[in-house]
């Protein structure tokens, strides 16, 4: 099964990450395969397991929760077109190449926890602090894959880390 998480952004940009492992950890800690450096993201926020042709996301007790299609979840099977929110980052789930076409800006707005088309008050909208956490409101458009750009003073980073953690685990003795 081809499984891709596509990071969608409010400006219409998107960045795909092909998931090739049976287990992918998402969080801000070193060692996570998908790292999001943000105070809104727990060290080991959630994990995705791909088994028997299905992808399942499980929250790992994160402080701010993991959301699928705007709904806070504990564990959920993912379907093509689902929107996964981890802190200030929204991913579109692609399974088997579907959905093949999408509007990244629209997917981003739909994926923001708390409802469709929430706009931070600082951007001229009337969203309350319950709609988007205040620490995330200013960061939603400032995330870059591979770290912040040279002219960006943001401390938030978003990076893919595809180290072969499974190989490391096999070489260590069992506990």
């Amino acid at each position: 099964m081809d499984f891709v998480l596509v990071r969608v952004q409010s400006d219409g940009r998107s960045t795909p990450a092909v998931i090739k492992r049976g287990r992918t950890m998402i969080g801000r800690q070193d060692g996570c395969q998908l790292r999001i450096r943000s105070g809104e993201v727990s060290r080991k926020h959630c994990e995705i397991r791909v088994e028997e042709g299905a992808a399942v996301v499980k929250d790992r007790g994160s402080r701010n929760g993991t959301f699928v299609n705007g709904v806070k979840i504990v564990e959920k099977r993912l379907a093509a077109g689902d929107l996964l929110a981890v802190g200030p980052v929204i991913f579109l789930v692609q399974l088997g190449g579907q959905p093949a076409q999408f509007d990244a800006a629209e997917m981003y707005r739909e994926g923001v926890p708390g409802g469709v088309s929430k706009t931070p008050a600082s951007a001229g909208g009337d969203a309350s602090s319950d709609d988007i956490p205040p620490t995330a409101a200013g960061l939603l458009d400032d995330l870059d894959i591979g770290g912040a750009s040279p002219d960006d003073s943001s401390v938030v980073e978003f990076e893919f880390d595809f180290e072969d953690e499974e190989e490391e685990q096999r070489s260590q003795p069992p506990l």
Side-chain angles (χ1 to χ4, degrees):
M1 168 179 65
D2 292 333
F3 177 50
V4 179
L5 289 178
V6 181
R7 177 176 171 233
V8 293
Q9 299 177 73
S10 63
D11 64 2
R13 290 185 294 159
S14 64
T15 308
V18 177
I19 306 300
K20 295 182 179 182
R21 332 171 139 252
R23 180 180 159 265
T24 299
M25 185 65 63
I26 301 174
R28 72 171 196 267
Q29 179 175 311
D30 288 344
C32 290
Q33 289 76 42
L34 293 176
R35 293 191 321 198
I36 304 169
R37 297 194 183 220
S38 166
E40 299 294 319
V41 177
S42 296
R43 282 180 234 131
K44 289 187 174 182
H45 197 96
C46 63
E47 75 176 333
I48 296 177
R49 294 182 322 275
V50 179
E51 44 194 44
E52 300 178 18
V56 176
V57 63
K58 181 177 182 178
D59 186 82
R60 297 282 308 245
S62 65
R63 181 182 61 216
N64 294 316
T66 301
F67 295 79
V68 175
N69 300 326
V71 177
K72 190 173 186 177
I73 59 96
V74 173
E75 185 168 1
K76 178 158 180 41
R77 183 178 178 151
L78 296 170
D82 280 347
L83 296 167
L84 171 65
V86 179
V89 178
I90 310 296
F91 295 102
L92 171 68
V93 174
Q94 278 187 326
L95 295 171
Q98 297 301 316
Q101 295 185 358
F102 56 89
D103 179 336
E106 180 62 25
M107 295 294 99
Y108 173 86
R109 286 188 295 276
E110 288 181 20
V112 173
V116 176
S117 301
K118 297 295 182 187
T119 305
S122 62
D126 59 348
S128 72
S129 61
D130 291 337
D131 296 329
I132 300 174
T135 55
L139 303 175
L140 294 174
D141 295 321
D142 294 335
L143 302 173
D144 286 309
I145 293 178
S149 62
D151 60 337
D152 184 359
S153 61
S154 172
V155 295
V156 176
E157 287 183 15
F158 175 83
E159 65 187 47
F160 295 109
D161 184 6
F162 291 106
E163 294 175 6
D164 193 1
E165 182 181 279
E166 291 173 357
E167 187 67 36
E168 290 175 21
Q169 288 176 355
R170 284 192 290 265
S171 66
Q172 296 177 0
L175 299 175

